[in-house]
Amino acid sequence: MKNFFSNIKGDAFGGITAGIVALPLALAFGVSSGLGPSAGLYGAIFISFFAALFGGTNTQISGPTAPMTAVSMVIIAGIIAANDGSVEKALPAILTVFLLAGLIQIGLGLIGLGKYIRYIPYPVVSGFMTAIGVIILVTQILPMLGYYPKEDMDYVNQFKPQAEEVILENILKEEAGEGILVLEDFKETINRAEKVTEADILKESTTLAGKDASGVIGALKVLPRALQNINWLEIILALGTIFIIYGFKRITTKIPSTLVALIVMSAVAILAGLDYRPIPEIPQGLPELKTEIFTQFSLGSITPYVFTALTLSLLGAIDSLLTSVVADNMTKTKHKPNKELVGQGIGNSIASLFGGIPGAGATIRTVVNINSGGKTRLSGMIAGVLLFIILLALAPLASKIPAAVLAGILITVGIGVMDYKGLKAIPYLPKDVKIGPLKFSMEVVIMLTVLGLSTFWNLVYAVGIGLVIASLMFMKKIGDLTAERSDVKALKEEAWKDEIGFPDNLKEEVFIKHIKGPLFFGSTSDFQALSKQIPDTATTVIIRLGRMQYMDQSGLYAMEDVLQDLSNKNIEVLFVGLLDQPKYMMERIDIIPDLIPREHIFETFKECLMWVKDNVKDIY
């Protein structure tokens, strides 16, 4: 407790500054997610406070981030579309997924998986982060132009025929659920269809229009219509915001330029009485506990989103721990990765219970906190408390912020989140893969694959596919390297230092196999060729295993097959330098002692050589 308040002045200033930086971003991410600015603000409040209280990085400031919001946006849009376009109807399922993601993070921390997050390949992270930037940029073009597809009646009316089909399909599903056979009772279907009003059709058409215009592809599809219906006031507000954000940084970086842009542009719009579009209203008062998560919970409703929740939790873990590393470098401290995951999980779980969107450790806010004097977890808690006070005191005023201003803020976020370091490296990475007449770097292929799939298809599956490709290519490279270094050759062509001086009269009878790396499923095919490569004159094979630290099940059975083939040829096999893990594996299936007697296992080559001299006879 003494350490908790050891830097109260610096922590107060750092927390207040970080909270001010977080405010416009929280509102913008909330609007972008589809749940409104209050969801972003609630997420920032609860995640900032509880992730700091229970987390493992003292100076970390957490809250909604661009990557987490981009994935959440996909989840929210999908669940809303599956619930007839009703946010209210879809909210329990959405928040349940967010709660599940938080609980998974807690589980990951408790079982100690935090230290393994660093093994996510850089090309996957690079492609994903760049895709996040592209998605934010493209999807914010429409609100920047002041165009909202659901309010374009000419566009909405195009979906009326499809809306009627959907309504009819729903009627048929209702009847099937009630046990009504449509082919035996057309009248019931007709009666229900006659009750459908123009308002019902318009509502469904609006939902379909919004779904069709969502995402990168949808935004690009309706962009021509948006350009024909530009709201010049909205675009001026958005461009003014962007200009201030980048321009004010040239004057000073001590005051957050994002906050300056938010205040200046909002004040201009409000005081000048401009006819602008405000953000959705932020409810005033204390956040309400969303009890419908529990009262309307259905395992079947969230089962399709379990993998999505897992991906969301892993993304939050990666995002947070990368920020933790940045904090470590700045403060010369060492974070606790598993404790950090538990803290992030608790923060996300509590935020979901009050309708907040999920978040993670935020790099910019953390850097601001450290530079402003924050040193302990109290700074993150103060940031959350500040946002809570703003919610209680300034909610009516914040509800008057122009939507175009938040669109401008998000565009700068999209530009900033892209991985320019990875993009600049593309021409210089070694081209080790050939596709037709073209040569590519495998890292570039992985990065571009994740970038393309994330941008135009699905963020969640793109990361999974990128990880699979990266893992397969890594295993292939390791297998190739192991095979390249482990060729079976006569002793005189491959003598190690301790093998020099081997008796000349035994060189044709004795062959040595050097295994210089792990024997796993990526390297077994070359190893299995061993028995076919040994000439008929050989009577003994020495397999040196001192550098084979690891053997998986595929390697184990490959070893068994080779030893069986050599045994059938009456060739004796000697092991030298067998390590503990491979020895344990071979003892489990009785390779030792059935195929390799314990007296044929030697710790050093010198001991093995003495056995060879005593037991291998010169055939000449």
Side-chain angles (χ1 to χ4, degrees):
M1 186 62 69
K2 182 178 179 181
N3 292 333
F4 195 78
F5 294 104
S6 61
N7 184 50
I8 190 166
K9 183 178 179 181
D11 288 336
F13 192 65
I16 290 171
T17 307
I20 291 171
V21 172
L23 175 62
L25 295 174
L27 296 172
F29 288 138
V31 172
S32 177
S33 73
L35 293 184
S38 58
L41 198 52
Y42 295 162
I45 291 169
F46 292 109
I47 299 170
S48 180
F49 186 88
F50 288 102
L53 179 61
F54 296 104
T57 311
N58 286 340
T59 54
Q60 180 119 288
I61 303 295
S62 303
T65 63
M68 292 293 281
T69 303
V71 175
S72 300
M73 185 169 57
V74 174
I75 297 170
I76 292 166
I79 298 179
I80 289 176
N83 286 271
D84 304 323
S86 171
V87 175
E88 184 177 349
K89 187 177 178 182
L91 192 60
I94 292 170
L95 298 180
T96 303
V97 172
F98 293 164
L99 174 62
L100 180 60
L103 295 176
I104 291 174
Q105 281 186 323
I106 295 173
L108 293 175
L110 291 177
I111 63 178
L113 289 183
K115 59 186 177 182
Y116 297 107
I117 298 297
R118 67 179 183 269
Y119 294 116
I120 301 294
Y122 179 80
V124 175
V125 176
S126 176
F128 180 80
M129 294 304 292
T130 302
I132 294 296
V134 173
I135 291 170
I136 292 174
L137 278 172
V138 175
T139 55
Q140 291 306 307
I141 290 175
L142 299 185
M144 184 182 78
L145 296 175
Y147 178 77
Y148 295 86
K150 290 184 177 182
E151 298 175 7
D152 183 351
M153 295 314 300
D154 290 337
Y155 180 66
V156 169
N157 288 335
Q158 295 177 13
F159 293 89
K160 279 192 173 182
Q162 188 179 345
E164 293 177 1
E165 290 180 16
V166 171
I167 292 171
L168 178 59
E169 186 179 341
N170 290 336
I171 291 173
L172 295 176
K173 285 180 180 179
E174 288 177 6
E175 292 181 346
E178 296 170 11
I180 299 173
L181 299 177
V182 177
L183 295 179
E184 295 180 4
D185 191 0
F186 277 113
K187 291 183 179 179
E188 178 62 25
T189 305
I190 293 171
N191 287 336
R192 296 190 184 196
E194 287 176 345
K195 295 178 182 179
V196 176
T197 64
E198 278 295 320
D200 294 328
I201 296 173
L202 180 61
K203 181 181 177 181
E204 186 62 42
S205 301
T206 303
T207 300
L208 292 172
K211 184 179 179 181
D212 188 66
S214 64
V216 172
I217 295 177
L220 293 175
K221 189 187 297 183
V222 298
L223 183 58
R225 296 187 65 89
L227 293 174
Q228 294 173 7
N229 296 275
I230 293 178
N231 185 321
W232 291 105
L233 174 59
E234 300 290 307
I235 199 171
I236 289 171
L237 290 173
L239 291 176
T241 302
I242 296 170
F243 176 79
I244 293 174
I245 289 174
Y246 287 123
F248 194 78
K249 288 179 181 178
R250 295 179 177 273
I251 301 173
T252 180
T253 56
K254 292 183 178 180
I255 302 175
S257 62
T258 304
L259 181 67
V260 173
L262 177 70
I263 293 174
V264 170
M265 296 308 298
S266 298
V268 169
I270 295 169
L271 296 177
L274 301 177
D275 184 21
Y276 64 91
R277 181 190 183 95
I279 63 173
E281 184 179 357
I282 300 174
Q284 191 174 13
L286 298 173
E288 295 181 1
L289 180 66
K290 303 296 181 181
T291 55
E292 56 265 36
I293 295 178
F294 306 104
T295 58
Q296 299 181 29
F297 173 79
S298 169
L299 186 61
S301 65
I302 67 163
T303 300
Y305 301 101
V306 171
F307 178 70
T308 304
L310 174 61
T311 304
L312 189 62
S313 66
L314 289 174
L315 173 61
I318 296 168
D319 209 0
S320 298
L321 295 182
L322 286 176
T323 303
S324 296
V325 172
V326 174
D328 286 349
N329 292 334
M330 294 183 67
T331 60
K332 308 304 178 187
T333 57
K334 182 68 176 175
H335 73 280
K336 299 175 182 177
N338 295 319
K339 188 178 180 182
E340 182 62 32
L341 289 189
V342 172
Q344 292 292 333
I346 292 173
N348 280 315
S349 299
I350 295 176
S352 68
L353 295 177
F354 289 91
I357 59 175
T363 305
I364 299 299
R365 280 160 264 176
T366 299
V367 170
V368 166
N369 176 41
I370 294 170
N371 289 338
S372 300
K375 290 183 179 179
T376 75
R377 61 186 71 248
L378 184 62
S379 57
M381 297 168 65
I382 290 173
V385 171
L386 174 68
L387 291 171
F388 183 65
I389 293 171
I390 292 173
L391 169 68
L392 296 179
L394 302 177
L397 182 61
S399 296
K400 296 181 180 181
I401 294 172
V405 169
L406 293 189
I409 291 172
L410 283 171
I411 285 173
T412 63
V413 170
I415 293 171
V417 80
M418 289 193 283
D419 181 33
Y420 298 102
K421 180 180 177 181
L423 293 173
K424 289 177 182 177
I426 289 177
Y428 307 105
L429 292 172
K431 296 176 173 60
D432 50 2
V433 176
K434 188 174 182 180
I435 302 177
L438 303 175
K439 287 186 176 181
F440 299 92
S441 165
M442 179 44 62
E443 282 76 10
V444 173
V445 171
I446 294 170
M447 185 186 76
L448 295 180
T449 299
V450 174
L451 171 58
L453 293 178
S454 298
T455 303
F456 298 106
W457 182 44
N458 187 294
L459 279 163
V460 175
Y461 295 140
V463 172
I465 291 171
L467 287 173
V468 169
I469 295 174
S471 300
L472 290 174
M473 293 312 301
F474 171 75
M475 289 184 287
K476 182 181 184 303
K477 286 181 180 179
I478 294 298
D480 290 345
L481 288 172
T482 304
E484 182 182 329
R485 298 174 61 189
S486 305
D487 291 336
V488 180
K489 298 178 181 177
L491 177 62
K492 62 183 180 182
E493 297 180 15
E494 193 181 328
W496 282 4
K497 187 175 181 180
D498 58 354
E499 297 164 2
I500 297 172
F502 192 86
D504 292 335
N505 61 321
L506 296 177
K507 286 185 177 180
E508 294 301 323
E509 289 80 44
V510 179
F511 281 77
I512 294 180
K513 169 70 174 176
H514 293 144
I515 300 182
K516 303 176 185 178
L519 185 61
F520 69 112
F521 63 90
S523 61
T524 55
S525 59
D526 292 291
F527 178 77
Q528 286 175 314
L530 171 63
S531 62
K532 299 181 179 64
Q533 296 174 348
I534 298 176
D536 296 334
T537 56
T539 61
T540 304
V541 171
I542 299 173
I543 303 180
R544 303 201 62 173
L545 302 167
R547 298 182 185 178
M548 188 184 79
Q549 305 92 338
Y550 173 76
M551 166 188 281
D552 71 356
Q553 192 172 8
S554 299
L556 177 66
Y557 292 135
M559 176 67 79
E560 183 182 36
D561 291 342
V562 167
L563 295 176
Q564 191 66 58
D565 287 345
L566 294 175
S567 177
N568 293 338
K569 294 179 180 180
N570 296 317
I571 296 175
E572 287 196 276
V573 179
L574 310 176
F575 280 178
V576 178
L578 180 62
L579 300 177
D580 290 341
Q581 193 272 346
K583 182 180 179 181
Y584 175 82
M585 293 288 285
M586 286 189 269
E587 286 176 339
R588 293 307 92 194
I589 65 170
D590 295 326
I591 288 179
I592 301 173
D594 292 354
L595 294 176
I596 302 292
R598 296 190 187 278
E599 58 268 22
H600 284 188
I601 302 174
F602 305 94
E603 289 188 11
T604 66
F605 185 76
K606 184 178 180 180
E607 294 174 1
C608 179
L609 181 58
M610 291 174 62
W611 187 95
V612 169
K613 289 179 178 179
D614 292 340
N615 294 276
V616 179
K617 296 180 180 180
D618 180 5
I619 63 175
Y620 295 105

